[in-house]
Amino acid sequence: MIHITLTDGSVKTFEENVTPMDVAKSISEGFARNVISANFNGTTVETETLLTTDGSLILYTWNDAEGKSAFWHSSAHVLAQAVEELYPGVKLTIGPAIENGFYYDVDFGDKPISEKDFKAIEDKMLEIARGKHEFKMRSATKAEALQLYIGNPYKTELIENLEDGTITFCDHSTFTDLCRGGHIPNTGIIKAVKVLSVAGAYWRGNENNPQLTRIYGISFPKQKDLTEYLELLEEAKKRDHRKLGKELELFTFSQKVGQGLPLWLPKGAALRERLENFLKAAQKKAGYEMVVTPHIGQKELYVTSGHYAKYGADSFQPISTPKEGEEFLLKPMNCPHHCEIYNNSQWSYKDLPKRYAEFGTVYRYEQSGELHGLTRVRGFTQDDAHLFCTPDQLDAEFKNVIDLVLYVFGSLGFENFTAQVSLRDPENPDKYIGSLENWEKAENAILSATIDKGLNYTVKTGEAAFYGPKLDFMVKDALGRQWQLGTIQVDYNLPERFNLTYKGSDNELHRPVMIHRAPFGSMERFIAILLEHTAGNFPLWLMPTQAIILSISEKYEKYAEKVLNLLENDEIRALVDHRNETIGKKIREAEMQKHPYMIIIGEQEENENKITVRQHGGEDLGMISIEDFSKIIKTEISKTLKSF
Ligand SMILES: [Zn+2]
Ligand SMILES: [Zn+2]
């Protein structure tokens, strides 16, 4: 008999050679019908794998990320089979599941496919799926594996790099693929498929290798899910921050300046400034001090911090001075600079915590193929801060930082988020720097702060960095996409490397604990996410222009200016559309620009000293006084922007 521990902690006893599916059925037939993948003792297994030892079993359904991954991994096999049947002689390479769907890289020789072939591939995939073929794993010797792929240099290369005895295949229907496992029970569960796109991809990402065709696809257990996904894709296209950034004149890129280096236009710069001022004000109240550090630093600085050893070779190379031959690096992180600021004085425990904040611009090399709008760039500004405290202050500091992050999310309309706590792997204590006692203090501080603040959280054991545990905020945007925003990270490493100290009450020198934190992360990425989340309809307090004044004809220009003045006196950001265009055209363009309020001015408005107000999206507020309009704006702002 073997003992199987389930996710709820219960232990069930079974005969040896029970399968995860048997275990699922022992829970309930209904549940078992939804189980599509399993994990036994930390390893992905098939639902039909024979279990022969005691262990922990996790059963996954479509609703779990792991379930989706197995579903899409299995679908990639079906895609490969369909492609091989439709285009005999093609050479298959690799085809993993990805965040949304899967892809397969195929060598089509000199006959690449295009969009017009998608329908045939989808039909073939569905035909295979309907066969309800089971996915079955089997082992093969290296010789057998090489035999199967004679004439396919890609699979041959993969097999050559595997150790004999570790090679496995997956069979389904008449198709076989080299595979490590992790499938759904059978193809019949795949009810809807869509080939999304094709793109060129070099074998193993190396441009000296042959170019392959990467086929992207997605599949679902229900047709309805596919329909919803495609609608979401359409909506995401409309909200693409690159498109909105252009329409709203926020930022641009110039090939002359260099790829991955955003240029902020006046409206975008004003938006950034507003975000920065918002955070600066809250940070000031939370006891932060602003610092400023240069964009470059001596190479030695990053050798000391360890960044050079880790990223040096894969990043921008040192800049050297012409005469002295000194070497400098573009700043990849602000932390080492802030450590040196801390080191400027000898602190006593009474001076701590020190909280240094900087909107610090950093530079990191990204391959040109990886660059994407504002979300993957080569130069970006972090809303960075480093807190230096005693181990006993960690608890309170962590809570304060969480409060600040929640304030930021609340003011910007991110309501749907979870916290992810990354702790060390207790089995491998040697992997981590810092004393066991301090780790326990830090982990307890994070967990108690998380619970205390009522956060919805998950714990990832073994996911902590070697230098400290952390808390990440995972935010869901309006389209249900998940983004990692806001990190709070404890660090025992840099205080060691920079020999940071404070004098304790015992008059001895002690090591402070360092916390890195950035609620936005980077200004660039944050604004991109905010654009896609709000579709450009930012919270009113953040809008570049809160109201645009449109006069029906030139006759009312004077009155328009008077209204503008009154609004400005009330700290409302407004502007007048002076152009000699029809009112219809002005309204349409104001809608496009997403100005939250349009103020229309004509004869009646001037005579009665009032304004006609129309909200973005169409709602008419009618003719009201300027004072009433100010009140409307102030009330709306106070709903999202509270004081910290
Ligand atoms: Zn597989
Ligand atoms: Zn840092």
Side-chain angles (χ1 to χ4, degrees):
M1 300 297 270
I2 56 170
H3 305 284
I4 305 291
T5 310
L6 297 168
T7 25
D8 64 358
S10 65
V11 181
K12 285 192 160 199
T13 309
F14 295 94
E15 295 284 339
E16 220 174 280
N17 289 335
V18 68
T19 68
M21 192 50 86
D22 295 332
V23 176
K25 282 178 184 158
S26 81
I27 296 168
S28 95
E29 285 285 342
F31 173 62
R33 271 195 293 278
N34 288 319
V35 167
I36 55 175
S37 179
N39 179 300
F40 189 60
N41 287 338
T43 309
T44 303
V45 292
E46 306 295 302
T47 53
E48 292 304 319
T49 299
L50 303 178
L51 307 180
T52 55
T53 61
D54 290 354
S56 304
L57 181 69
I58 312 173
L59 297 163
Y60 298 120
T61 69
W62 169 255
N63 294 326
D64 301 300
E66 293 85 351
K68 285 189 179 70
S69 177
F71 194 92
W72 287 331
H73 167 90
S74 308
S75 303
H77 282 297
V78 176
L79 168 64
Q81 182 184 5
V83 166
E84 207 174 58
E85 288 184 15
L86 289 170
Y87 311 94
V90 297
K91 295 185 181 82
L92 299 174
T93 70
I94 55 159
I98 52 176
E99 198 186 344
N100 287 300
F102 51 90
Y103 69 76
Y104 214 111
D105 283 350
V106 183
D107 182 349
F108 282 93
D110 50 9
K111 290 193 209 78
I113 57 160
S114 66
E115 216 169 319
K116 63 178 180 0
D117 304 291
F118 291 1
K119 177 76 171 54
I121 298 173
E122 289 162 6
D123 290 346
K124 186 54 118 183
M125 285 179 74
L126 286 173
E127 181 193 316
I128 296 165
R130 280 192 294 270
K132 293 187 181 162
H133 308 290
E134 286 177 19
F135 291 97
K136 289 198 166 129
M137 294 298 294
R138 70 179 154 93
S139 303
T141 64
K142 203 165 189 166
E144 283 167 340
L146 289 170
Q147 181 67 31
L148 186 77
Y149 287 113
I150 286 176
N152 181 329
Y154 313 103
K155 293 283 191 193
T156 301
E157 188 182 321
L158 293 174
I159 295 163
E160 294 287 5
N161 288 323
L162 293 172
E163 247 175 72
D164 208 349
T166 65
I167 299 170
T168 50
F169 280 112
C170 172
D171 300 323
H172 79 269
S173 174
T174 56
F175 183 77
T176 293
D177 207 345
L178 184 68
C179 173
R180 279 192 294 260
H183 305 96
I184 56 176
N186 67 72
T187 61
I189 302 165
I190 304 167
K191 301 283 195 223
V193 299
K194 184 82 190 164
V195 176
L196 295 168
S197 60
V198 285
Y202 293 106
W203 169 238
R204 303 210 135 173
N206 183 337
E207 56 189 293
N208 299 319
N209 286 340
Q211 200 178 38
L212 308 166
T213 301
R214 178 165 296 175
I215 310 173
Y216 286 99
I218 197 159
S219 56
F220 293 94
K222 285 183 193 141
Q223 182 60 42
K224 184 175 135 272
D225 295 336
L226 174 61
T227 310
E228 279 173 14
Y229 179 77
L230 294 177
E231 281 168 10
L232 204 70
L233 272 191
E234 263 320 295
E235 185 57 34
K237 251 189 225 163
K238 280 189 221 149
R239 289 171 178 243
D240 189 319
H241 74 274
R242 294 167 299 177
K243 179 175 168 283
L244 288 174
K246 198 173 199 169
E247 288 168 7
L248 303 177
E249 298 167 8
L250 299 177
F251 60 88
T252 187
F253 288 90
S254 146
Q255 287 308 315
K256 269 216 175 87
V257 171
Q259 49 184 345
L261 299 169
L263 302 175
W264 289 88
L265 304 174
K267 283 183 191 168
L271 176 76
R272 268 177 75 130
E273 195 183 8
R274 215 163 291 123
L275 275 173
E276 289 188 11
N277 289 342
F278 152 75
L279 188 58
K280 274 182 192 164
Q283 283 179 171
K284 197 169 178 193
K285 285 190 184 156
Y288 288 70
E289 297 169 288
M290 294 300 294
V291 295
V292 178
T293 67
H295 288 233
I296 62 173
Q298 278 206 86
K299 185 180 151 191
E300 270 312 301
L301 178 70
Y302 307 106
V303 171
T304 304
S305 71
H307 291 120
Y308 188 75
K310 201 147 186 227
Y311 306 109
D314 299 323
S315 197
F316 288 115
Q317 293 308 294
I319 313 159
S320 39
T321 55
K323 292 218 174 98
E324 300 88 338
E326 298 164 291
E327 286 193 298
F328 292 88
L329 282 179
L330 289 173
K331 177 165 71 175
M333 297 248 190
N334 301 301
C335 347
H337 296 245
H338 292 187
C339 286
E340 283 304 289
I341 288 181
Y342 178 90
N343 258 344
N344 181 50
S345 306
Q346 177 60 63
W347 303 109
S348 128
Y349 70 99
K350 289 183 209 146
D351 302 317
L352 301 188
K354 299 305 294 178
R355 309 180 187 93
Y356 297 135
E358 176 177 18
F359 287 89
T361 304
V362 296
Y363 301 89
R364 296 183 194 166
Y365 171 70
E366 299 275 359
Q367 289 184 33
S368 51
E370 303 283 317
L371 297 170
H372 180 88
L374 290 183
T375 54
R376 281 292 273 281
V377 288
R378 287 176 169 174
F380 56 95
T381 302
Q382 294 178 312
D383 57 321
D384 216 354
H386 295 97
L387 288 68
F388 302 88
C389 64
T390 71
D392 291 332
Q393 290 169 333
L394 204 52
D395 219 44
E397 286 310 299
F398 229 89
K399 286 196 176 106
N400 292 341
V401 176
I402 292 179
D403 281 339
L404 186 67
V405 173
L406 297 184
Y407 172 65
V408 168
F409 289 174
S411 305
L412 288 155
F414 289 105
E415 281 141 17
N416 195 347
F417 56 85
T418 53
Q420 190 175 299
V421 180
S422 299
L423 305 179
R424 93 211 112 122
D425 172 6
E427 314 268 296
N428 277 310
D430 299 343
K431 256 175 62 182
Y432 305 96
I433 180 165
S435 73
L436 203 65
E437 189 198 345
N438 277 342
W439 268 86
E440 264 166 21
K441 249 186 199 153
E443 292 186 340
N444 288 335
I446 295 181
L447 281 170
S448 82
T450 307
I451 295 163
D452 208 58
K453 296 293 167 195
L455 299 180
N456 183 1
Y457 72 101
T458 54
V459 173
K460 301 261 175 186
T461 306
E463 290 284 301
F466 76 94
Y467 53 87
K470 66 171 174 171
L471 175 63
D472 289 313
F473 286 88
M474 312 300 288
V475 176
K476 261 200 185 154
D477 72 9
L479 299 187
R481 295 169 303 181
Q482 187 148 286
W483 301 89
Q484 192 226 306
L485 273 186
T487 296
I488 316 174
Q489 167 101 51
V490 176
D491 189 346
Y492 292 115
N493 181 40
L494 289 184
E496 285 292 329
R497 284 176 169 265
F498 282 90
N499 194 24
L500 307 185
T501 57
Y502 66 91
K503 205 169 252 174
S505 55
D506 55 2
N507 245 347
E508 302 279 323
L509 291 182
H510 297 270
R511 280 268 178 268
V513 186
M514 186 171 174
I515 301 174
H516 311 249
R517 51 101 280 188
F520 295 144
S522 98
M523 301 307 287
E524 284 73 10
R525 186 167 167 276
F526 186 81
I527 289 173
I529 295 168
L530 192 62
L531 268 169
E532 301 202 358
H533 177 55
T534 62
N537 301 304
F538 300 123
L540 189 57
W541 68 266
L542 190 61
M543 271 309 217
T545 303
Q546 293 164 324
I548 184 154
I549 304 165
L550 315 171
S551 60
I552 287 180
S553 87
E554 278 169 47
K555 275 198 285 181
Y556 312 106
E557 283 290 283
K558 261 224 165 92
Y559 182 56
E561 287 297 330
K562 184 184 158 198
V563 172
L564 176 68
N565 264 326
L566 289 170
L567 293 178
E568 281 177 343
N569 286 345
D570 261 350
E571 288 179 351
I572 293 169
R573 289 187 295 275
L575 51 89
V576 181
D577 185 347
H578 283 296
R579 295 170 309 153
N580 192 14
E581 297 285 358
T582 64
I583 189 75
K585 187 165 183 201
K586 285 182 178 178
I587 290 177
R588 271 195 308 280
E589 291 189 8
E591 279 283 341
M592 269 277 288
Q593 285 284 312
K594 300 182 191 277
H595 296 308
Y597 290 95
M598 282 170 250
I599 293 174
I600 297 152
I601 281 172
E603 191 180 357
Q604 203 190 348
E605 284 82 3
E606 182 165 9
N607 288 342
E608 297 188 27
N609 207 17
K610 286 189 171 173
I611 52 177
T612 292
V613 181
R614 196 183 144 118
Q615 226 172 347
H616 173 69
E619 206 200 327
D620 260 317
L621 304 185
M623 200 158 75
I624 55 176
S625 71
I626 297 168
E627 299 79 66
D628 283 346
F629 177 66
S630 283
K631 271 185 218 147
I632 291 173
I633 297 257
K634 299 251 150 77
T635 312
E636 189 181 331
I637 288 176
S638 68
K639 274 186 206 151
T640 41
L641 188 63
K642 310 225 171 353
S643 58
F644 181 63

